Amino acid sequence: EDHEAASSGIFLRLEEALLKLPPGVQQQVVASFRPLKAEVSRRLAEWTNEFNDWLNEAGQMQPAKLQTQDLGELLQEVESSPQL
């Protein structure tokens, strides 16, 4: 558990550093690290699951009750990720 928390912290710091680089360099760095590739894959899967959950819930709700803020926050998180 401590190792997992430390790894997450490392990835967060790396993500912050990546934001300072041009997009092409970001892609080269990401492609160079297997653990980073695994983290990106995990995050993509997590976002996909969250998006699918939102779509399922939205399909069962009346339009006036949709929580579009939740979708907006998810999309902002995805958009702000330097690995994509």
Side-chain angles (χ1 to χ4, degrees):
E1 193 171 298
D2 289 337
H3 176 71
E4 188 175 314
S7 292
S8 293
I10 290 168
F11 284 120
L12 288 175
R13 288 192 303 275
L14 180 57
E15 182 176 65
E16 290 170 0
L18 282 173
L19 287 171
K20 298 174 184 176
L21 301 172
V25 176
Q26 289 178 12
Q27 291 173 349
Q28 290 174 339
V29 170
V30 170
S32 300
F33 292 98
R34 283 184 189 254
L36 189 55
K37 286 181 185 181
E39 178 68 8
V40 170
S41 294
R42 183 194 66 75
R43 290 176 78 183
L44 285 173
E46 182 180 300
W47 292 328
T48 299
N49 289 336
E50 288 179 31
F51 183 63
N52 285 333
D53 290 346
W54 187 89
L55 287 174
N56 286 333
E57 290 174 15
Q60 298 173 8
M61 295 181 128
Q62 296 177 354
K65 294 185 178 183
L66 284 178
Q67 297 294 323
T68 56
Q69 181 180 355
D70 293 340
L71 178 60
E73 289 171 1
L74 174 60
L75 295 176
Q76 285 177 340
E77 182 180 341
V78 172
E79 185 179 43
S80 68
S81 178
Q83 297 95 356
L84 304 178

